[in-house]
Amino acid sequence: MVPTKAQRNWTKKMASRACLAAAVAASSSRGVSAFSRSGVAAGGRALSTINGGSTFVASSHPTAVAGTSFSLASFGNSNRIASRASVNSIQLHMSSTEADATKSEEISTVESQIAAKGLEVRALKENGITKPELAPHIQELLALKAKLEELTTEKASPAPSSAPPKKETKKNPPTNAIKSSPVAELSGSAASARRVKTVNAQVSDEQVSIKGWVRTVRKQKTLAFVEVNDGSSMSGIQCVLPFDGLDEVSLKEIDKLTTGCSINAVGQIIESQGGKQSVELSATSLRIVGTCPGETYPLAKKRHSLEYLRTIAHLRPRTNTIAAVSRVRSTLAGSVHAFFQKEGFNYVQTPLITASDCEGAGEMFRVTTLDTDNVDSLPRAKDEDGKTLPGVDYGEDFFGKAAFLTVSGQLGGETYASALGDVYTFGPTFRAENSQTARHLAEFWMVEPEMAFADLTSAMDNAEAMLKSVVGVVLDECDEDLTFFAKFVDKGLKERLNKLVNKPFVRLPYRDAIGYLQEEIAKDPSKWQFPEVEFGTDLSTEHERWLAETKFESAVFVYNYPKSIKAFYMRDNDEDGGETVNAMDLLVPGVGELVGGSQREERLDVLVEKMEELGLDVEDYWWYLDLRRFGSVPHSGYGLGFERLVTYVCGIENIRDAIAYPRYPGNAEF
């Protein structure tokens, strides 16, 4: 084999160093006068060393690689031996590098032959060939496997070295080392196979790698079927492992397979012979990446209740239901961003820590660095005369005032809408509401757009367009997951989602909604949990769902709510003397309220008056009021509870299954 340019450059460099070292050694014994002139005259680089008045010249002519042009004049015996040893060591390195490259090519060739022969044997068996006729093919396959084992053993053996053996030094393992079972590694072409996710698996002649977690294992006399799921799809992929086409390590690994263990399987994606899937992996090798003891694995081969799965929230994404919810949630999140970006909105990240109560309800989580474990050490609030008052002096806390986790990004969003026009926030919010219902979380995500120069109608138009867009994306991209939910959770799911996308939303004044409810409840009040309904009633879930599911069979905007049941920042309606505010809620079948929004109060005097009525400290909102002092404009916005959207699209009932790690009263595990 002809040496590569890099190898030639390396050996030239090493040859020069070797000759120079030999020359220096020779000078110390004064047994050399010069190198032969022929080496330098051939065009090589000259290295001169002055030592004790003698001059030495070393040639680095390319022919030195082969050791043919090093003729040394008047060298002593010891120096001549040293020089030859240096040149020989260079030749040995070259030979070793060339041999390794040749060996790797041989291994790759034999592996390809084994894979081809294995497929040939399998095809012959399927065509009903007799055992005597099949025997020569099996013998040939076994001979190839033996050759591969011999080659890999030879390659793993260390090359001979002329250097003296180094003294072995024992090292202590790190104190935090964790003992684990040895993992067999793939070799040759299998180790470099391109990874393919199961959702993208297509028929190909290419050797690919499937990595994931084992769902089921079925072993027969001549082959094994392993269902692998990598999280990218509901169905995963079936790996077919014919025993006569596998290496010895893979055959041993099959015996160790258990549900839950992680594996790396290499082979070709082919058309499936069965009817449950379109493609499958015809595997030629398999390695276990991480073992999973079946006797202690919490996810048995049965359907688990969602209540039980919440107790093992770190493992529940491996189940079909929660994995499907997670994929749908991810698609919804991406499509929310895509919609607003396409509409020209700017994404604003508002703070999670705030001193402002957006809703004015006071149900907020406090943020403090004060030592609450030592009550006596807490700084006490004092009046102007220095008299101690009930409560803590949060002026000595980290932020110099009382601070909380935000219940909404709306107020911060309004400030940017007053400069950028259209913005949206999308992030976590928190509410310390002591509720154990299936509709509430203490930590949840909100999508909150704010639009300048916009009224309530603009907000409703945007909310309707956004929901139709994101649900449409899920219908297009998550059909397998939605089919699963339609089969096991909500049989009418797809029909309901398609109706939301294709049917215009109903728009209903609050007063009319109350009239419809009163008329229906009067027929049989005993059927209702909350039969008392009048103007000023805050609609309950049963009222909302009746309007959306029964009365209109559609998504419904209810708008112009009574002022008394809505937040301080909502704009008073002029037409009824301020009895109602320009607010709306979107009600959808299966969930009830999904979106809440309003036109914001842009009049400074009216807003200050409302804040004082609710007992809010105007000084805490000075920056919010500045928006009304300096260039105020009509503006609107709304908030979408993201987990409620996930439950609606997936058809699941409990909001605790719509988020990775639910937070609610009494639970902050994981």
Side-chain angles (χ1 to χ4, degrees), residues 446-482:
M446 291 288 291
V447 178
E448 298 176 283
E450 291 291 328
M451 296 161 283
F453 305 99
D455 58 12
L456 185 64
T457 299
S458 300
M460 289 191 286
D461 290 344
N462 182 269
E464 181 170 353
M466 183 270 294
L467 281 171
K468 289 178 181 293
S469 174
V470 300
V471 173
V473 171
V474 172
L475 285 167
D476 290 340
E477 298 183 6
C478 301
D479 182 68
E480 186 181 27
D481 293 320
L482 294 181

Side-chain angles (χ1 to χ4, degrees), residues 202 325 335 352:
Q202 294 181 342
V325 170
S335 59
L352 300 186

